[in-house]
Amino acid sequence: RKEVEQDPGPFNVPEGATVAFNCTYSNSASQSFFWYRQDCRKEPKLLMSVYSSGNEDGRFTAQLNRASQYISLLIRDSKLSDSATYLCVVNSNAGNMLTFGGGTRLMVKP
Amino acid sequence: DAGVIQSPRHEVTEMGQEVTLRCKLISGHNSLFWYRQTMMRGLELLIYFNNNVPIDDSGMPEDRFSAKMPNASFSTLKIQPSEPRDSAVYFCASNDANTGELFFGEGSRLTVL
């Protein structure tokens, strides 16, 4: 089993739709969680950190469920510019190592 | 700040040739990571350094791969000899110790023929 797993998609949604991605992780001792965004042929960039209490940044909401070992990302009122690959990232040990999921591809259509 | 800088951006080489990829960290960051990304395997951590010391190189595929960090701001990843299966995008990233955020370079796209 992979340490961090995501549905690769693609998720094809119309503009204005709400879409949610889940990500599961295998190491119950994982400490930190993030969502990164990667545009085609570009480098990954931090979208948002995921806090235990859940957090929101504009149209984006991230949540953590430690009991079930998953994190989620909700995008409301999706825009064409949201089309990208969303990478779930987990810090699985006390050091700096971040493990990336395989990514979920989102395509927002007009 | 210019961010993480990688070179070359693109390299096409023939099997058996030596490849050297270079990375300059963001000033003040003390951890450096080398990742490889392919369609099949996604983003894989190859090696990471903390304060110039290699901490974990378990992701390095085999002896053909080596990485060095001769000073606090610069690193190289070398493949010798290169093989077609090494074709991938190689990312270097440095870490903000306060936030945990990784900052990636734009990547080096390697094609081995």
Side-chain angles (χ1 to χ4, degrees):
Chain A
R1 183 185 171 190
K2 287 185 180 178
E3 195 167 341
V4 181
E5 292 205 68
Q6 297 182 248
D7 181 338
F11 285 57
N12 295 298
V13 303
E15 262 187 299
T18 295
V19 61
F21 311 133
N22 279 344
C23 163
T24 58
Y25 60 94
S26 59
N27 187 342
S28 59
S30 297
Q31 302 286 328
S32 308
F33 309 89
F34 308 88
W35 284 102
Y36 276 67
R37 170 189 168 134
Q38 186 173 23
D39 292 293
C40 188
R41 301 181 80 85
K42 298 285 190 180
E43 72 276 20
K45 293 183 179 178
L46 179 67
L47 177 66
M48 59 196 301
S49 302
V50 185
Y51 303 123
S52 297
S53 55
N55 48 300
E56 190 174 308
D57 183 1
R59 298 182 293 109
F60 298 83
T61 301
Q63 294 201 312
L64 167 64
N65 185 319
R66 284 194 183 273
S68 300
Q69 293 182 208
Y70 76 84
I71 67 173
S72 64
L73 178 68
L74 182 79
I75 305 175
R76 288 181 299 278
D77 187 23
S78 52
K79 314 289 186 191
L80 296 177
S81 57
D82 294 334
S83 298
T85 296
Y86 291 83
L87 298 161
C88 169
V89 187
V90 176
N91 181 331
S92 296
N93 60 30
N96 278 331
M97 281 181 57
L98 296 182
T99 302
F100 283 74
T104 297
R105 190 171 171 210
L106 171 65
M107 298 180 68
V108 182
K109 303 289 177 85
Chain B
D1 197 323
V4 175
I5 300 173
Q6 291 187 245
S7 65
R9 293 290 312 280
H10 302 272
E11 177 145 349
V12 180
T13 191
E14 291 187 343
M15 182 172 65
Q17 296 298 305
E18 179 178 296
V19 172
T20 299
L21 307 178
R22 297 174 176 80
C23 174
K24 183 176 183 301
L25 280 72
I26 292 175
S27 177
H29 287 187
N30 58 5
S31 293
L32 178 142
F33 303 77
W34 281 103
Y35 285 89
R36 176 173 69 176
Q37 188 173 39
T38 61
M39 287 290 292
M40 292 296 294
R41 301 173 69 90
L43 204 59
E44 302 174 281
L45 178 65
L46 300 177
I47 185 171
Y48 91 92
F49 294 84
N50 194 41
N51 293 321
N52 307 359
V53 176
I55 302 301
D56 189 327
D57 65 354
S58 59
M60 295 285 261
E62 48 197 91
D63 292 346
R64 297 184 298 108
F65 285 68
S66 62
K68 293 182 180 179
M69 195 167 176
N71 58 56
S73 61
F74 182 73
S75 177
T76 58
L77 178 68
K78 188 173 292 188
I79 309 172
Q80 167 63 20
S82 58
E83 297 183 3
R85 61 191 167 125
D86 302 330
S87 299
V89 180
Y90 290 81
F91 287 105
C92 172
S94 69
N95 170 262
D96 182 332
N98 293 322
T99 65
E101 180 178 355
L102 274 182
F103 292 83
F104 284 81
E106 293 182 304
S108 295
R109 183 173 295 272
L110 173 65
T111 302
V112 183
L113 302 174

